[in-house]
Structure formats: C-alpha cells, structure tokens
Amino acid sequence: MSDVQPADFETADYRSVLRRLTTLDEEAADLRAEAERWHDGRVAAADQAVREADENLAAAAEEVSRTQRDLEQVDARALQLWADYVHKVGPRAERYGRTMPQAAIPRQRSDRDAADYLEEVAAKVKYIAPPQPINFGVKALFVLFGLAGGLVGAGAFLALRGIGGTEQTGTWRDAMPVVALVVLLACPVLAVVSAKKVADRRSVGLDAATVATVLLTGLVSAGLIIAAVGI
C-alpha cells in the first residue's frame, strides 16, 4: 500500500498517485466485504434471536395451557373431595361455609405439589375413626335416659289422664286415656333415640341388650311412678 495521502496528491509524482488510486479500489472492496460480513452476521444473529423468541413463546403458551389443564383437574378433584366430605359429616361441614372453601397457600412451603395435598385430604376424608367401647359410664348414661323417659312419660300420662277425667262425656276428653297410654309408651322410645345419638358419636351401634335396658328402665320407672300415685 502506498503512503501517499490525499493531501500529498499535488506534490506527488504521477506513478505514486496512480498506485494510490489502484490501492483505493482494493481497500474499498475490502471495506465493502467487511461491511457485508458484519451485516450478514447481524441479520443472522437477529434471525436467531427471533427464532429463539418464537420457541420461548410457544413453550410458554404450552406451559400456560398445561397449567390451566392441571388447575382444572385440581379444582375438579377438590370439588369431589368437598362433596364426599359434606356427604360424610353432614351439616357440620357448614362451619367451613356452604360452598367449597377457597384454596389457601400452606404456611410452610415445601416441594409438595397440589396432588400430594389432595391425596392427603382424600385419606382424611376416607378415614373412619375406630369405634369407642361403651364403658360403664356410657351404660349408666343410657340408664339415665331410660329413667328420664319414664319420668316424662309418667308425668305426661298422669297429666293427660287428669284432663280426660274418669267419666264418659262424649267429647274429645274421652280419648285422653288412650293418648296418655301412647305418650307413656313413646317416651321410653324417645329415650332410645337419644341413646342412639350418643352411640353414633362414639361410632358404635346400639345392641339389643342396650335398647332393652333403656326401654325396660323407662317402662319400669314409669310404672312405679304411676303405681305410687295409685292409678
């Protein structure tokens, strides 16, 4: 390359200027080639960036779609578990609201996902507490139920007999002795119903002996009271 600069053209000889003009074409060609390579590299980099952005966008859209499907499945599973829970416990579920409670974020974060929590809830919903034995205290409570039924039945019997009287009047009062007898027999049965609720809370069923105990206690106590009154 010649060392002749544009400012030296007036004083340089012809051959030096000619060589300089010749090399200028070569330098311009090199610069054009370098510019084209730079432009092609920038275009390729831009195209690569656009392709990567498109791929990331498609992956994000797929992830959103998958997450939405997972959310719908979790909501459906949670709703089913809530229905099972309401069916199992009955009106007691209303303490959490009449509809399924909103999801809550666990206080302690962990690697567990929604499926793990749903399985834990399902296990709790399916859990049935083992039956508690009917001990002496519960049996004594059943006897008290029978006594209460007998007392109430005897009191209602005497009150209704008093309303009806002993003479035939040809009015509705004549039916009072029959109504009094029905009420007398119904009160020990209601005592059995109360005992049944206690047994249900302990997840045990009433056996025939327990039912007989409550009924006999109620009838015997009512009979003794009525006999003591002298009817």
Side-chain angles (χ1 to χ4, degrees):
M1 182 182 295
S2 174
D3 294 332
V4 178
Q5 300 300 322
D8 300 331
F9 285 166
E10 295 181 357
T11 59
D13 56 12
Y14 176 77
R15 291 182 178 178
S16 299
V17 173
L18 186 60
R19 276 197 310 271
R20 178 56 178 161
L21 292 175
T22 303
T23 57
L24 285 177
D25 289 337
E26 297 176 356
E27 292 179 4
D30 293 340
L31 292 174
R32 282 194 298 271
E34 182 179 356
E36 290 176 355
R37 288 193 299 271
W38 179 86
H39 177 267
D40 294 341
R42 294 299 88 195
V43 170
D47 292 340
Q48 179 65 23
V50 170
R51 284 194 298 271
E52 292 178 355
D54 291 339
E55 293 174 356
N56 293 334
L57 181 60
E62 178 64 24
E63 182 67 18
V64 170
S65 178
R66 185 187 63 81
T67 303
Q68 183 64 32
R69 291 194 300 269
D70 292 344
L71 178 60
E72 292 174 355
Q73 293 176 358
V74 169
D75 288 342
R77 177 63 171 158
L79 187 60
Q80 180 62 43
L81 290 175
W82 172 253
D84 294 342
Y85 175 74
V86 172
H87 178 73
K88 180 179 180 180
V89 304
R92 286 185 296 169
E94 292 184 359
R95 61 182 176 178
Y96 301 108
R98 294 184 178 273
T99 59
M100 184 179 68
Q102 294 294 326
I105 300 176
R107 294 182 179 180
Q108 295 181 351
R109 300 294 185 87
S110 63
D111 295 334
R112 302 174 63 188
D113 56 11
D116 294 333
Y117 288 105
L118 290 175
E119 291 302 324
E120 181 179 348
V121 173
K124 291 182 178 180
V125 171
K126 294 179 181 178
Y127 174 76
I128 299 177
Q132 302 178 16
I134 299 179
N135 51 29
F136 177 78
V138 177
K139 292 181 179 180
L141 180 61
F142 290 161
V143 173
L144 291 178
F145 282 148
L147 288 175
L151 291 174
V152 173
F157 177 83
L158 295 174
L160 293 173
R161 284 293 299 268
I163 294 174
T166 58
E167 298 180 356
Q168 295 293 326
T169 62
T171 64
W172 59 271
R173 293 179 181 270
D174 296 340
M176 283 297 101
V178 177
V179 175
L181 181 61
V182 172
V183 173
L184 174 63
L185 297 176
C187 286
V189 176
L190 294 178
V192 174
V193 174
S194 300
K196 176 76 166 55
K197 291 183 177 181
V198 175
D200 289 342
R201 289 182 178 274
R202 303 180 70 87
S203 300
V204 296
L206 287 179
D207 53 11
T210 303
V211 174
T213 299
V214 177
L215 287 176
L216 289 177
T217 302
L219 294 175
V220 170
S221 60
L224 292 177
I225 294 174
I226 294 173
V229 174
I231 295 180

